[in-house]
Amino acid sequence: MTPTLQRSFSRHTEDIRPCEFRLGAAANANGSALAIFGNTKVLCTATIDKEVPRFQSEKGQGWLTAEYGMLPCATAVRSSRERTMSNGRTKEIQRLIGRSLRACLDLTALAGYRIIIDCDVLQADGGTRTASICGAWLALVQACTSLYSSGELSQWPVVQQIAAISVGQFQDTVIVDLDYSEDSRAQVDSNVVMNSQGEFIEIQGTAEGKAFSRSQLEQMLDYAQQAISKILSLQRQTLADSHITWPPV
């Protein structure tokens, strides 16, 4: 079988880029992972905080928030630092990461604590938001493991495993895990977040240059599900290699 397109890393249409997660990438964080998808690298950290928003504290629940940013030289052309206000794209990605991770949490079990997720793009070559979600889940598990093993939490709060991937249509062909050269010229650009039960958490899809059919959508979702299954397996193996049991109960 030969690739139908000339893709980075000599990939087929349904293949993700070489993927790796490195735990403990930030020594001072309660949990951290460096997520690597091809030439995209995102440092994901989780910080435990006891300052729970009042609207959650009154309900006896914890909370999770997410922040996302790109280092100035993460792309080929240096970008300015966002020193005060985040731009619209950054806010949208932060909300996506936060929604996705809250979907895997039992917030009641996390009562009394807020987890702050930080995703900093070290190097961008497409798929930074989906890489952020994949790495942030691992950082979250590490942070919650420390709370649970110390007895600060009586219930395990991470009730689902989640991962995400980009999928789209490029040169009239459905492909998964788009790098920048593909993403910047894609006819359809989508991001899919799923859990380990095969359920969808979020689907973002936009026709950038050409409308797409229902059958093409179904093919994109099939490709995304296959890719996410591989990422979920890699996440579990990464935890096992670091002697972290998930779930611990």
Side-chain angles (χ1 to χ4, degrees):
M1 179 179 180
T2 58
T4 56
L5 296 173
Q6 295 298 314
R7 306 192 70 198
S8 59
F9 304 99
S10 301
R11 290 181 291 151
H12 303 304
T13 55
E14 71 275 19
D15 291 340
I16 65 173
R17 290 169 288 180
C19 179
E20 179 185 358
F21 300 107
R22 300 176 187 172
L23 301 190
N28 295 323
N30 298 115
S32 63
L34 178 62
I36 303 172
F37 284 75
N39 294 319
T40 287
K41 299 178 181 180
V42 185
L43 176 61
C44 307
T45 62
T47 302
I48 300 168
D49 185 14
K50 293 188 177 181
E51 293 294 326
V52 181
R54 178 180 293 182
F55 71 93
Q56 287 300 109
S57 181
E58 291 175 348
K59 294 189 291 186
Q61 295 183 336
W63 193 239
L64 179 145
T65 59
E67 296 191 14
Y68 167 97
M70 296 182 69
L71 295 186
C73 291
T75 57
V77 178
R78 184 189 185 278
S79 58
S80 299
R81 294 184 186 273
E82 296 179 32
R83 299 184 184 278
T84 52
M85 297 293 291
S86 299
N87 63 38
R89 176 181 180 274
T90 296
K91 289 180 179 177
E92 186 268 325
I93 294 175
Q94 289 178 168
R95 290 166 180 160
L96 170 65
I97 297 169
R99 286 194 304 269
S100 299
L101 292 170
R102 287 193 294 272
C104 77
L105 280 172
D106 178 350
L107 293 175
T108 300
L110 195 62
Y113 296 93
R114 176 177 65 141
I115 304 294
I116 304 170
I117 298 293
D118 287 291
C119 298
D120 291 290
V121 180
L122 309 182
Q123 188 168 289
D125 187 29
T128 59
R129 71 186 69 192
T130 52
S132 295
I133 291 169
C134 296
W137 182 84
L138 287 167
L140 172 64
V141 169
Q142 293 170 77
C144 289
T145 296
S146 67
L147 286 172
Y148 185 75
S149 60
S150 67
E152 295 174 81
L153 292 180
S154 59
Q155 293 179 275
W156 177 245
V158 186
V159 295
Q160 292 282 358
Q161 183 185 3
I162 67 166
I165 199 68
S166 64
V167 64
Q169 187 171 320
F170 178 71
Q171 295 182 6
D172 297 319
T173 303
V174 172
I175 58 174
V176 72
D177 193 18
L178 287 68
D179 60 23
Y180 177 75
S181 67
E182 296 165 336
D183 179 71
S184 61
R185 296 177 291 153
Q187 296 161 311
V188 181
D189 181 21
S190 301
N191 298 290
V192 179
V193 188
M194 298 183 70
N195 63 27
S196 54
Q197 304 302 311
E199 299 170 325
F200 294 98
I201 294 172
E202 184 144 350
I203 301 171
Q204 299 179 331
T206 305
E208 299 285 356
K210 181 179 179 181
F212 55 97
S213 66
R214 180 166 180 167
S215 63
Q216 290 169 327
L217 173 61
E218 290 172 351
Q219 186 180 1
M220 285 189 285
L221 295 180
D222 286 343
Y223 273 24
Q225 186 167 15
Q226 293 169 19
I228 286 173
S229 177
K230 295 175 183 176
I231 298 168
L232 293 169
S233 178
L234 182 57
Q235 286 174 323
R236 292 191 295 269
Q237 187 60 54
T238 301
L239 290 174
D241 290 344
S242 297
H243 308 291
I244 298 174
T245 302
W246 184 88
V249 291

